[in-house]
Amino acid sequence: MAKGKVRNHIKALRAETGGMTQSQLAEAVGATRQTIIAIEQEKYAPSLELAFRISLAFGVPFEAVFSFEP
């Protein structure tokens, strides 16, 4: 079975929420800025817990932040 890809809209959501920085998001979710960068660039798929923390930080449903492409 081929691997899929986790997609996200973090960069757009950061811009829509008044320009939240990667560092601010990282602090809000208990991650490092480097982790946020890797997730944003789709080089790293976050743990389920971290993904939910990110969606909560933006105040939007999980599906508004992340999607999966088989």
Side-chain angles (χ1 to χ4, degrees), residues 31-40 44 50:
T32 65
R33 181 175 168 267
Q34 290 77 15
T35 298
I36 299 300
I37 291 168
I39 294 169
E40 223 176 72
Y44 172 74
L50 181 54

Side-chain angles (χ1 to χ4, degrees), residues 23-57:
S23 295
Q24 289 169 326
L25 178 58
E27 186 174 325
V29 301
T32 65
R33 181 175 168 267
Q34 290 77 15
T35 298
I36 299 300
I37 291 168
I39 294 169
E40 223 176 72
Q41 294 176 347
E42 298 177 348
K43 293 180 179 178
Y44 172 74
S47 69
L48 190 55
E49 179 182 350
L50 181 54
F52 275 107
R53 286 181 187 204
I54 291 169
S55 66
L56 288 171

